[in-house]
Amino acid sequence: MMTMRPQEDLGVEAKKAAVREVAKLLPVPESLASIASIKADYALRQQANDAQLSVTVTTQVEQAQAGIEALSASQKTIQMLQQNFLLIDKEYFEDVDRTWEKFEKTLWGHISNFFKLAKESPHTLVRALRVVEMQEVLDQQQAEEAAEAEGAGAMASITKPRRATKKPLTPPASPGFLVKEKMQGQGKCYKDKCYEYIRKSVEARFDKLLSKFVFEDLKVALEDGRSIAEELADIYDFVAPCFPPRYEIFQLTVQLYTERFIQMLRLLSDRANELSNIEILKVTGWVVEYQDHLIGLGVDQSLAQVCAESGAMDPLMNAYVERMQATMQKWYTNILEADKVHPPKKTDDGKLYTPAAVDLFRILGEQVQIVQENSTDVMLYRIALSVIQVMVDFQAAERQRLEEPVTEIGLEPLCAMVNNNLRCYDLAMDLSSSTMEALTPYYAEQTWNKIFLTATDFRA
């Protein structure tokens, strides 16, 4: 049996309903006479319903149209707002970026100008450093928050059930360790930047000295170096109080200045062959001044001697010592040659002698004194070793002459040579004593045995 579709069912039902309605209106045959009035009544009602429906539809259409227009207007307003926000975002944040860039430029300008500001406007420098400190605190807080979050995540991953693995579980890192890890390369790192701008400022201060003066004029270079070194006193008095103590700004600047002075000495050492011995002594004398200046400012002696003991002056000292030894060898050779042609002299008690011994040790003593007054402990130690070598060479030259036949030397000159050697022993011991007093204990200890044994050889 075929099933009727829903539309057909509705049609049949409608017909039945219509039949029932007609039956109600025309229950008896006489009711047929009122059909015309019934039709007229239905027509009026239909007309009224159509009118009401038309008004309702019109109203709904008008409302829908108004809604569409309002929606369109809203859409236009939203688009306008979006454009305005984009414009605001672009102008405002660009302005913020420019302002921040200008602020940082001013901040690091103050830090770079730390030496002048500390003397002329210390409160400006202090305010700049407070900004650095505040940013460091913010970086620390952010690092701690990040470390706490990471630590919590690590603990959650450990406590969460998981399958057993062959790799052992590592314990979570301590909060302090996480903070340090987070701070490395995180945040603005203003303190590190502060050190960097101070370093650049110091480099700029040394620029002319290291790029020009040191190559063109030794006197100007040493005067400029002396002027720069004197700034450390002002850094101690004016700059250091502006910085937080933990920055150790005085120690930092001493280190930066010393590093660059060592660079100056290396550049001068590259010209060692061009400098005279007097100029070399001026350089070593400058180093002594700088060393004493640092000690006067409270710097530990071991740190104050870094310039002298850095090895930067080795080529200068080598050149000086080599020239001095060559000069001494020439002098004592001339002295010994003079002894051959001049007859010996007699002392008041009748002992024969020549001026060789006295002249030799007078010259050696002068060399030691010159270096002692104008150079470093290292240089004085090198000269002491050089003096010992000159005495050894002098003894060898005398022994060589003693090997000549007595008939060629002569009895009186031979006696004078023996007496000279005894005199040389006394003079060598006097020279060794004064030299040991001038040397530091460290260098004196290394020199004493050598110079004592050399002096004793004059009596052999």
Side-chain angles (χ1 to χ4, degrees), residues 281 284-285 288 317 370-377 379-380:
L281 286 177
T284 58
V288 172
M317 291 190 293
I370 289 172
V371 173
Q372 179 183 349
E373 294 174 352
N374 298 279
S375 194
T376 62
D377 293 334
M379 182 71 160
L380 183 58

Side-chain angles (χ1 to χ4, degrees), residues 228-436:
I228 294 174
E230 289 173 354
E231 294 174 357
L232 289 172
D234 288 336
I235 291 175
Y236 184 88
D237 292 333
F238 299 103
V239 176
C242 294
F243 280 76
R246 66 188 182 89
Y247 279 55
E248 297 184 335
I249 196 65
F250 177 68
Q251 291 87 335
L252 173 64
T253 49
V254 167
Q255 177 183 341
L256 292 174
Y257 275 47
T258 301
E259 287 174 355
R260 277 141 195 85
F261 283 135
I262 289 174
Q263 186 178 351
M264 176 191 77
L265 294 174
R266 293 191 189 282
L267 292 173
L268 290 174
S269 289
D270 291 340
R271 301 173 51 211
N273 293 332
E274 302 173 19
L275 302 179
S276 67
N277 275 9
I278 292 177
E279 289 175 323
I280 291 175
L281 286 177
K282 288 180 179 179
V283 175
T284 58
W286 180 92
V287 174
V288 172
E289 287 181 18
Y290 179 63
Q291 180 175 301
D292 292 342
H293 183 55
L294 292 182
I295 293 174
L297 292 173
V299 176
D300 185 81
Q301 187 170 0
S302 61
L303 297 177
Q305 293 176 339
V306 169
C307 260
E309 298 182 352
S310 64
M313 291 195 301
D314 284 356
L316 293 173
M317 291 190 293
N318 291 341
Y320 185 92
V321 170
E322 288 172 5
R323 294 172 191 169
M324 192 273 281
Q325 273 191 229
T327 302
M328 292 296 100
Q329 184 179 21
K330 184 177 180 180
W331 283 351
Y332 75 67
T333 300
N334 291 337
I335 291 172
L336 291 176
E337 289 298 321
D339 282 354
K340 292 181 181 179
V341 298
H342 293 96
K345 297 180 180 181
K346 288 185 179 181
T347 62
D348 294 339
D349 57 359
K351 291 182 180 180
L352 295 169
Y353 75 96
T354 65
V358 175
D359 289 345
L360 173 65
F361 282 93
R362 175 181 56 79
I363 295 171
L364 293 178
E366 288 174 354
Q367 290 299 313
V368 172
Q369 185 176 0
I370 289 172
V371 173
Q372 179 183 349
E373 294 174 352
N374 298 279
S375 194
T376 62
D377 293 334
V378 180
M379 182 71 160
L380 183 58
Y381 170 67
R382 294 285 301 276
I383 291 299
L385 295 180
S386 179
V387 165
I388 293 172
Q389 186 60 48
V390 169
M391 288 193 293
V392 170
D393 293 342
F394 181 77
Q395 291 170 357
E398 281 200 320
R399 289 194 187 96
Q400 186 176 0
R401 191 182 177 198
L402 287 172
E403 292 176 357
E404 297 176 6
V406 176
T407 55
E408 293 184 12
I409 299 175
L411 184 59
E412 288 189 351
L414 183 60
C415 292
M417 290 178 63
V418 174
N419 291 334
N420 281 350
N421 279 343
L422 296 175
R423 179 61 175 157
C424 282
Y425 170 78
D426 294 333
L427 294 173
M429 293 304 296
D430 291 341
L431 179 60
S432 65
S433 297
S434 60
T435 304
M436 293 303 103

